[in-house]
Amino acid sequence: MLLNERRREEAVAPSWAHLRIPPFPQVALQVLRLANNENVQLHELSDLISSDPAFASEVLTVANSLLYAPRFPASSILQAIAVLGANNLQGLCLTVGVRGYMGKALNQPAMRSIWRHNLACALIADQVASVGFMNRDVAYTSGVMHDVGRLALAVLRPKEYSLPLGAHSGPPASILKAEREMFGWDHCEAGRQLIVDWKLPSEFEAIVADHHLPRQKNGSWGMADLINVCCRMADTAGFPAFPGCEATPFPELLDELPERERRLFHTTIEPLAFEIAKKITAVETA
Ligand SMILES: [Fe+2]
Ligand SMILES: [Fe+2]
């Protein structure tokens, strides 16, 4: 962006506080903070989730759904944690939290696309991590988190935001300018600010702030890179955040993976897309 253009946008951009982003479900945020603590006891997590009965029952429903497909259904939060593990619980609570956060907005097709894109990115990130050396739970959680800024803008003004989302076409990052014009903030900047405001682990900052930056082939490979690629894989698998989003051909995305992941991951998009669609339906119908 030209310097003058950015200055002009900054001059009209409202301060962050003026945006009045609606609060995210507190229990989900607390689980994210607590589960990162190595000394956390399982019963502490269970007590925390159970302190919000509506949230706890949603967590139990999704834990027993096809998304996790446990061999034996869990009948209590403590049992679910024991079966899924504390780390898996972070992603699960975040998924339930996002679903609750979007609430009625999910009835609008544009908002539903955003939610599906996020979940698809998380599920693909989990799969790519499983064939490489990255932590799967962190990959899933990071995937659900990557577009948190977009979720917040969507919850803030669902009807107005649906318009540019429905009308815009171009590469994934091209929507950022329309967001800055509408809100004064794009979803990458908004997401980074939310990670700070919500006191979430700082590792998430680069993931939410940089996921639309161009990557260098054969560059570094960290969690932010994995999410950057998986965000575009979600578009290509049929889950773009907005309908006019130009998807990157799958072979080009595979090319961006490190050698081991490229060798062991899906070679075509169809089976991946089918699997992701099945799991998204499982969460939506749970
Ligand atoms: Fe994004
Ligand atoms: Fe994305």
Side-chain angles (χ1 to χ4, degrees):
M1 181 189 300
L2 295 170
L3 193 60
N4 280 346
E5 202 180 322
R6 181 171 271 287
R7 285 212 180 110
R8 219 172 23 248
E9 281 189 9
E10 278 170 2
V12 293
S15 74
W16 175 246
H18 275 88
L19 270 186
R20 295 179 190 277
I21 298 283
F24 197 81
Q26 280 307 304
V27 183
L29 291 181
Q30 283 167 340
V31 170
L32 274 181
R33 293 188 208 114
L34 199 61
N36 239 44
N37 176 349
E38 281 172 12
N39 300 320
V40 70
Q41 304 283 323
L42 291 190
H43 73 84
E44 287 178 80
L45 282 169
S46 162
D47 289 351
L48 173 60
I49 296 168
S50 305
S51 69
D52 182 336
F55 187 81
S57 102
E58 282 251 331
V59 166
L60 210 52
T61 308
V62 177
N64 286 327
S65 76
L66 251 182
L67 180 65
Y68 293 98
R71 288 171 69 190
F72 305 103
S75 54
S76 71
I77 292 294
L78 199 56
Q79 239 179 37
I81 301 174
V83 173
L84 297 175
N87 293 331
N88 233 328
L89 192 77
Q90 258 187 332
L92 168 58
C93 286
L94 192 56
T95 308
V96 170
V98 167
R99 199 164 76 157
Y101 189 49
M102 297 205 75
K104 286 195 187 122
L106 269 179
N107 295 331
Q108 296 184 33
M111 301 298 114
R112 190 164 276 256
S113 298
I114 293 178
W115 143 262
R116 286 182 175 163
H117 169 81
N118 241 42
L119 199 51
C121 174
L123 291 163
I124 296 171
D126 172 276
Q127 288 211 14
V128 174
S130 74
V131 295
F133 299 107
M134 222 76 92
N135 182 306
R136 288 179 67 175
D137 304 318
V138 177
Y140 179 89
T141 306
S142 303
V144 185
M145 196 51 109
H146 87 286
D147 261 347
V148 69
R150 177 148 30 212
L151 299 174
L153 299 182
V155 172
L156 186 68
R157 278 153 60 186
K159 281 198 184 124
E160 293 96 316
Y161 191 27
S162 290
L163 297 174
L165 285 173
H168 185 81
S169 57
S174 61
I175 191 83
L176 299 178
K177 187 169 183 289
E179 291 172 348
R180 284 194 291 270
E181 281 163 4
M182 174 167 250
F183 298 99
W185 293 71
D186 63 48
H187 74 268
C188 297
E189 294 163 347
R192 197 193 58 75
Q193 185 68 48
L194 287 173
I195 298 298
V196 174
D197 286 1
W198 292 344
K199 299 183 176 56
L200 293 178
S202 55
E203 302 91 88
F204 287 130
E205 275 189 52
I207 290 162
V208 302
D210 300 343
H211 68 271
H212 287 303
L213 288 185
R215 287 191 65 248
Q216 277 194 332
K217 203 186 154 201
N218 301 326
S220 62
W221 184 250
M223 193 54 78
D225 300 284
L226 182 138
I227 297 300
N228 183 308
V229 176
C230 292
C231 167
R232 283 173 291 142
M233 278 192 182
D235 300 333
T236 310
F239 300 99
F242 55 96
C245 176
E246 283 170 14
T248 313
F250 193 57
E252 284 179 33
L253 293 168
L254 285 179
D255 251 9
E256 289 194 41
L257 299 180
E259 195 271 329
R260 179 188 161 90
E261 281 85 342
R262 196 167 49 236
R263 192 161 37 85
L264 299 174
F265 196 55
H266 292 273
T267 49
T268 55
I269 191 76
E270 289 77 12
L272 176 67
F274 179 75
E275 225 173 288
I276 300 305
K278 211 168 69 177
K279 290 194 169 174
I280 289 179
T281 308
V283 181
E284 286 184 348
T285 52

